[in-house]
Amino acid sequence: MLSSVTTPQDLDERFRAELAGLVAATGARDLDEPVREDTALTGEQARALYDAQSTSRHLDLAARWLRSFDAGYYTIGSAGHEGNAAVAAALRATDPALLHYRSGGFYCMRAAQVAGSDPIRDVLRGVVASAREPIAGGRHKVFGHADLHVVPTTSTIASHLPRAVGVAYALGRGKRLSPPGGGHGWPADAIAVCSFGDASINHAAATAAFNTAGWCDHIGLKLPLLFVCEDNGLGISVRSPEGWVAAALSSRPGLRYYAADGCDAAETYDRAAEAAAWVRRYRRPAVLHLSTIRLMGHAGADAEMAYRSSVEISADLARDPLVHTARMLAEAGVATPAELMTRYDEIGWEVRRVAEEVLGEPKLASANEVTAPLAPRRPVRVSRAVADAAAHLGADEPLGEPHEEPEEEDRELDDDLEFAELSAAADDGDWPEPEPTPAPATIRPVSGTPRSTGNGHPASRLAAFGGKLPEKGGPLTLAQTINATLTDAMLAYPQMVVYGEDVAAKGGVYGVTKGLRDRFGATRVFDTLLDETSILGLGLGAGLAGMLPVPEIQYLAYLHNAEDQLRGEAATMQFFSQGAFHNPMVVRVAGLAYQLGFGGHFHNDNALAVLRDIPGLVVAAPARAEDAAAMLRTCLASAVVDGSVCVFLEPIALYHTRDLHNESDNWWLADYAPPSEWSALHVPIGRARAYSTGPNDDLTIITFGNGVRLSLRAAARLAAEGVACRVVDLRWLSPLPVGDIIKNASDTGRVLVVDETRRSGGVGEGVIAALVDAGYVGVARRVAAVDSFVPLGPAANHVLVSEEQIVQGARSLLAR
């Protein structure tokens, strides 16, 4: 029975013994008066805190009981940290909160502030991995609920702190926000709160967040954020050096420092209220340092006696925050010891009753159920969103949310039918055939670039482009096309911001964002500090708050130190919230190799495996200007419609390329399509592009990025030998265009995969695997880069794919 729940330290029995030893006060304070002389906490508030703390304690005990017979799957508890309930009491229920996994008291107190909430059932469903758990649906035990404005965070230490900075940045803009799916929105004067442990402050993500918050405060950027460090002195078994946490947090520039005994609910409430009021009034960041304890070890399997003495453990038990709150209530005469015991037992039995109920609830029953919220794809709505953007631009009206038509059920049916048709076609290997694209014809050179109005608030599309629309200016390079597409997108989506290192004043290292700040102002196009973790975290928080962030990572190699912001935070948000929260974002990354006269592995990085390994992440890699425009519009629309996280990989070596075969042939340029043509030129996620030289092609070359240009050049050489090659540009590296791969490979029976990424872990492995999985019976081989970093100068030619290798690879296939 659940009534036998205990801990190794007999925590429950000790609490009962402490209550039994309390003496009832001779007098009683009114419930609306402070519970003691040195605090603003009232008796009524203290009773509510006692309930929340008791609930959190019993939930921890129940989790240990459930785990004892393999029915519970998460025992990292909040025992000893229950004082954080007072932080919730000092805040508003509409202040977005990103919580540490020991902030159970906070969650229970926040739930008590919102009518109809059931924190006991919420938490226990998470412990037993019930599919009915309200936020993650059994995918992980997290503290989160859209109606409570509690944003779910994973157990990755400190990874949620950069996101919290992003949420605060969005709140600092002073507008009421409507997060996608995030409850009822956040008021204009809301503040963000983010809790974490003492060991977490040493993590790179935490350091980045503190530094960015201080940097923003230093330059005068409003950032209403309250960091809450719950300091129990331990990181699993490793002690935080005495005084280190206080010294580290109090010395952070730009962060106002507050401290309190986290085991004293009254003191915690007073300091939290003071800190929250300061942050709310001045819209500046602060940190609240709570001294707490940890009871029952790190988690269920933790043998705490292996690294702590009995004296240390006893000292922590003497500071039990639940005992402290009970004693405070009894001494104030607000409740008698007997009443406190009765209330503790009432909560305990309710927890036990609910625990027995949720034991029998269904679990996630299939892979489809598990992955359903991971990355929703509604291609019909995305296509319509692109059309809506075009229509609004034509009417000079900004586009906020996707246009909703009255026939909502019909639209959902359209999406379901399209998804079913595409899925069935993929299973059968019979996807719709893409229209073959002829090799580009000779076209005119660019005759000028768009001018800037300089006013930051263009009244129309014509004004934004300085009186000369890009579709009237002649064919453009890849870089110019991306610039024009970003300009149109900034007009279409008023919630969109473009930012990163050097993107504003300089216009990007390669000039891709040149003129955007002049056109739209410094609040929508701005430079950031030099830290990729902070750049991505800013986007994650801003997207969560309803904005459309488009950050730039200056080079692909610079992304690798911040990858967890995409893997552990961005891609998991919908997965762990069942779509209740989204963090739409399009990350522009300059990458890949083949830069002439400039190199080294930090500027010629071809490592993409980590991106393709992240479930749900969209990775786009346009090679041609017209594809870049259409694909970027698709990524932006998908972010708005489906909350997608997209990486838009831009091949640096092709940014300013003009020619394909001969000097001044201008075959790599393309005209910019006016909005009236966007629907006809729409490129869905996961569809390739085929270049064909004739109806009876001899072999298929499958490639992407720089490989497209190399392969088209190789195909021209082979055509002179009488060999007809079909070149397929994947365009989307995740998800791969599997249907198009299979269709084009089957048409010729000979496949050459040209992969400019590394042979191990490269994109080519995915292409070959797709062919094998589909039962492809033709011949295939790969030409890929060597498993090496890209060296400086001409030495790069020894490890990268060359045009000659492609020609020789094709010849070897034809000889088989």
Side-chain angles (χ1 to χ4, degrees):
M1 292 292 294
L2 275 168
S3 59
S4 66
V5 170
T6 59
T7 70
Q9 297 82 20
D10 293 329
L11 189 59
D12 182 55
E13 286 80 356
R14 183 183 177 95
F15 177 72
R16 294 176 183 277
E18 290 285 352
L19 276 185
L22 295 178
V23 178
T26 56
R29 294 174 181 263
D30 291 338
L31 289 178
D32 58 353
E33 291 182 353
V35 73
R36 67 186 191 213
E37 298 301 328
D38 62 345
T39 182
L41 182 72
T42 68
E44 189 66 41
Q45 291 173 317
R47 286 165 63 109
L49 287 177
Y50 178 75
D51 280 0
Q53 291 177 307
S54 296
T55 301
S56 180
R57 176 64 57 85
H58 277 296
L59 287 170
D60 286 348
L61 298 176
R64 298 297 180 103
W65 175 78
L66 290 164
R67 183 70 188 94
S68 70
F69 54 93
D70 295 328
Y73 306 101
Y74 196 91
T75 56
I76 298 180
S78 303
H81 284 241
E82 291 93 349
N84 55 45
V87 179
L91 295 166
R92 299 175 185 171
T94 51
D95 290 330
L98 297 86
L99 300 181
H100 181 42
Y101 49 64
R102 297 198 193 279
S103 296
F106 185 111
Y107 186 81
C108 292
M109 189 65 233
R110 172 62 66 90
Q113 297 169 323
V114 179
S117 299
D118 189 352
I120 294 174
R121 197 171 299 272
D122 290 350
V123 173
L124 288 175
R125 280 175 162 166
V127 170
V128 302
S130 167
R132 296 174 182 170
E133 193 269 334
I135 189 68
R139 291 166 184 83
H140 193 39
K141 189 270 183 186
V142 295
F143 290 124
H145 203 298
D147 292 341
L148 303 182
H149 303 279
V150 176
V151 180
T153 62
T154 67
S155 296
T156 308
I157 299 301
S159 66
H160 61 297
L161 272 66
R163 181 197 292 279
V165 174
V167 172
Y169 156 73
L171 292 172
R173 292 166 67 92
K175 300 178 181 178
R176 183 179 179 88
L177 300 172
S178 298
H184 306 292
W186 298 328
D189 65 343
I191 69 172
V193 60
C194 175
S195 59
F196 49 92
D198 54 290
S200 297
I201 73 165
N202 305 299
H203 195 279
T207 300
F210 299 146
N211 183 69
T212 302
W215 186 87
C216 290
D217 186 71
H218 184 76
I219 65 173
L221 186 66
K222 294 180 178 179
L223 204 75
L225 173 59
L226 178 60
F227 290 113
V228 179
C229 179
E230 301 180 17
D231 178 8
N232 61 33
L234 288 163
I236 305 184
S237 66
V238 180
R239 289 172 172 79
S240 293
E242 184 70 29
W244 165 247
V245 177
L249 293 178
S250 63
S251 62
R252 291 282 179 183
L255 294 183
R256 189 175 180 90
Y257 178 77
Y258 297 86
D261 179 357
C263 296
D264 182 339
E267 182 179 329
T268 298
Y269 174 81
D270 289 336
R271 296 291 82 71
E274 181 184 356
W278 187 86
V279 172
R280 199 179 308 278
R281 178 179 180 182
Y282 295 106
R283 319 303 285 167
R284 296 176 65 187
V287 59
L288 173 61
H289 179 198
L290 299 179
S291 173
T292 67
I293 58 173
R294 191 184 72 187
L295 303 175
M296 299 192 294
H298 173 71
D302 181 26
E304 195 173 24
M305 287 295 293
Y307 54 88
R308 300 190 76 196
S309 68
S310 58
V311 173
E312 289 178 297
I313 295 173
S314 295
D316 275 1
L317 285 167
R319 293 184 61 209
D320 186 341
L322 189 56
V323 172
H324 193 288
T325 301
R327 182 180 296 113
M328 179 175 63
L329 289 167
E331 290 175 350
V334 173
T336 66
E339 290 171 337
L340 293 170
M341 180 69 77
T342 297
R343 186 58 183 149
Y344 178 77
D345 282 337
E346 288 174 348
I347 293 172
W349 283 109
E350 176 64 12
V351 169
R352 296 162 189 167
R353 181 186 68 80
V354 175
E356 291 177 336
E357 289 181 358
V358 301
L359 272 174
E361 290 187 349
K363 307 296 190 291
L364 294 168
S366 68
N368 285 339
E369 286 188 21
V370 171
T371 59
L374 180 62
R377 298 276 182 263
R378 292 177 289 185
V380 172
R381 293 193 186 186
V382 170
S383 176
R384 287 173 175 157
V386 172
D388 286 347
H392 282 282
L393 282 179
D396 282 332
E397 296 174 2
L399 179 67
E401 297 300 319
H403 177 62
E404 293 290 342
E405 297 177 1
E407 301 83 3
E408 187 63 28
E409 292 184 2
D410 293 340
R411 296 182 64 167
E412 292 178 359
L413 180 61
D414 289 344
D415 291 335
D416 292 340
L417 285 174
E418 177 170 348
F419 180 80
E421 290 169 357
L422 293 178
S423 298
D427 292 339
D428 297 339
D430 186 24
W431 280 56
E433 182 176 358
E435 289 294 326
T437 305
T442 303
I443 45 183
R444 295 175 291 108
V446 176
S447 56
T449 55
R451 292 183 296 105
S452 167
T453 61
N455 60 15
H457 301 282
S460 68
R461 186 166 181 262
L462 187 63
F465 285 105
K468 187 175 183 179
L469 297 176
E471 58 266 32
K472 303 292 186 181
L476 307 179
T477 63
L478 178 68
Q480 291 169 327
T481 297
I482 294 172
N483 181 280
T485 307
L486 288 172
T487 300
D488 272 332
M490 292 286 280
L491 290 168
Y493 301 106
Q495 73 272 38
M496 177 175 157
V497 289
V498 173
Y499 65 94
E501 301 166 10
D502 301 301
V503 302
K506 182 178 176 64
V509 173
Y510 296 94
V512 180
T513 57
K514 187 175 180 62
L516 290 182
R517 187 182 69 169
D518 293 339
R519 296 167 189 167
F520 298 99
T523 60
R524 296 189 65 195
V525 182
F526 53 90
D527 291 322
T528 65
L529 73 176
L530 224 67
D531 179 57
E532 286 72 27
T533 294
S534 297
I535 290 171
L536 293 178
L538 190 69
L540 293 177
L544 187 74
M547 298 175 68
L548 178 57
V550 182
E552 177 185 293
I553 300 298
Q554 199 166 89
Y555 289 99
L556 178 59
Y558 299 174
L559 175 66
H560 300 312
N561 66 72
E563 284 157 0
D564 189 56
Q565 289 298 297
L566 292 178
R567 184 202 66 84
E569 289 292 317
T572 61
M573 178 50 68
Q574 295 199 76
F575 184 73
F576 288 135
S577 72
Q578 301 186 95
F581 291 99
H582 306 161
N583 43 212
M585 184 165 63
V586 179
V587 185
R588 293 181 46 252
V589 182
L592 302 177
Y594 296 96
Q595 295 186 74
L596 298 178
F598 186 63
H601 71 285
F602 275 104
H603 300 103
N604 281 282
D605 187 24
N606 58 355
L608 297 179
V610 68
L611 294 176
R612 295 190 62 249
D613 186 55
I614 299 175
L617 190 73
V618 174
V619 181
R624 297 285 311 284
E626 65 269 41
D627 285 334
M631 292 169 68
L632 183 52
R633 288 193 289 266
T634 297
C635 287
L636 292 166
S638 182
V640 171
V641 170
D642 292 327
S644 300
V645 180
C646 305
V647 173
F648 195 76
L649 182 63
E650 300 167 6
I652 299 171
L654 300 178
Y655 267 149
H656 305 298
T657 297
R658 304 171 65 88
D659 308 319
L660 176 58
H661 300 298
N662 304 304
E663 186 176 352
S664 300
D665 67 18
N666 290 335
W667 276 19
W668 213 251
L669 304 178
D671 289 315
Y672 187 80
S676 60
E677 298 178 9
W678 289 0
S679 290
L681 299 174
H682 175 61
V683 177
I685 291 174
R687 293 309 304 269
R689 175 178 186 173
Y691 297 85
S692 179
T693 59
N696 300 310
D697 298 323
D698 296 304
L699 74 127
T700 300
I701 300 176
I702 298 177
T703 187
F704 66 95
N706 293 286
V708 177
R709 185 169 182 272
L710 292 172
S711 296
L712 287 172
R713 288 172 59 88
R717 288 174 56 183
L718 291 165
E721 302 173 8
V723 178
C725 297
R726 179 181 302 179
V727 177
V728 177
D729 180 1
L730 293 170
R731 298 195 293 196
W732 304 95
L733 306 185
S734 186
L736 282 172
V738 175
D740 292 333
I741 290 171
I742 297 167
K743 176 66 174 63
N744 285 283
S746 300
D747 281 350
T748 64
R750 296 185 182 92
V751 175
L752 179 65
V753 180
V754 176
D755 182 3
E756 66 174 292
T757 59
R758 300 166 191 171
R759 191 167 190 84
S760 299
V763 176
E765 287 185 346
V767 175
I768 296 295
L771 291 171
V772 172
D773 290 344
Y776 171 70
V777 295
V779 294
R781 65 163 297 176
R782 280 190 298 161
V783 175
V786 174
D787 287 346
S788 169
F789 298 107
V790 181
L792 193 65
N797 297 328
H798 299 306
V799 299
L800 296 176
V801 173
S802 68
E803 180 184 324
E804 183 61 30
Q805 287 177 311
I806 299 171
V807 171
Q808 293 302 324
R811 288 172 179 162
S812 69
L813 271 179
L814 293 168
R816 296 178 64 175

